[in-house]
Structures are given as C-alpha cells and as structure tokens.
Amino acid sequence: MKITPFTIARNLSLGVFASLWCFAAQAQEVVEVFLLSNQSVVGTANTVYVVDALHNATERLSVDLPNTPAEAKKIAEARLKALTAQDKEVLKQASTSVIRAAEYKIVKVPAIVFDGKGVIYGIADIEQARVMYRSWRARGGS
C-alpha cells in the first residue's frame, strides 16, 4: 500500500471519527437517580425516583383520621375518590419509585444507577458518579 498524504489524512479522519463515535456511545448512558424528597443531586439524569414519595403521600391522606376503623375507612374512601388526575399521577410515580428501587435492591440513597448495571451510593454529583462508573467499566465491570 502506497502511503500518501491522502491516506494519512483519511486514516486520521477515521481515527478521529472512531474516537468521537466511542465517546458519543459512552455518553449515552442511562442514568437513574434514587433519593429522598429532602435530597438533591447535581447533574442531569434520565429519571429521578423519589423513594419516600409514596410514604409522604399516604401520610398526607392519613392526616386526622379518626381512631375508629369504620369512620376512618369512610373518610379515607372519600379522600381517595376526591383525588385529582394530578394526585393520581403523583401516586403512580411514587409507586414506580418504590418498585424500581426494589428491582435494583437499592439499600441507601442517594443512589445513582448507570445503564441498569452499576450503582454508586452516597454521591450527589452525577458527573462524579459517572467517572467512578466508567472507571469500573474500564476495569471489566459488567
């Protein structure tokens, strides 16, 4: 094969393209964050799950219920019937948060899950957690 300025430029271009493609593929990680309602994280995630949202919602629905079961049931049923579409969506998202955390066996928060494969606990900065995740993957983590 004859080496010319064209073949060198083409090979360099292919190398740069391959590097950029690998970088872009690496940047496509799916990031899921699990936290409590009084916590926050820095950075962007695909999904944020507030794992105590269902507990908080049921606490609000239970406020001032009487001690007698029959009366409490009547009031609770009325409150549930009075839920707006927005209230129901909040409950749905809250339930999804609890289910998703159970699926991943999340044991503490904040927790940042990458690609459904790696969990970083106790870090509130997504980019810092991403560096740790990528390091783990580079060492053969699956």
Side-chain angles (χ1 to χ4, degrees), residues 50-64:
V50 181
V51 296
D52 63 344
L54 186 59
H55 172 77
N56 295 342
T58 57
E59 285 289 312
R60 285 190 298 276
L61 288 170
S62 301
V63 168
D64 296 328

Side-chain angles (χ1 to χ4, degrees), residues 61 73-84 88 91:
L61 288 170
K73 180 180 178 186
K74 191 175 186 178
I75 293 170
E77 287 174 348
R79 288 179 183 177
L80 289 172
K81 285 181 184 177
L83 291 175
T84 65
K88 291 175 184 176
L91 287 171

Side-chain angles (χ1 to χ4, degrees), residues 120-138:
I120 308 293
Y121 288 107
I123 303 291
D125 184 313
I126 292 173
E127 289 309 312
Q128 182 183 359
R130 180 176 278 120
V131 168
M132 295 169 75
Y133 170 70
R134 288 179 179 169
S135 175
W136 172 75
R137 289 295 307 256

Side-chain angles (χ1 to χ4, degrees), residues 53-54 57-58 61 80 83 86-96:
L54 186 59
T58 57
L61 288 170
L80 289 172
L83 291 175
Q86 183 180 3
D87 294 333
K88 291 175 184 176
E89 182 59 30
V90 167
L91 287 171
K92 180 182 172 186
Q93 289 174 2
S95 298
T96 301

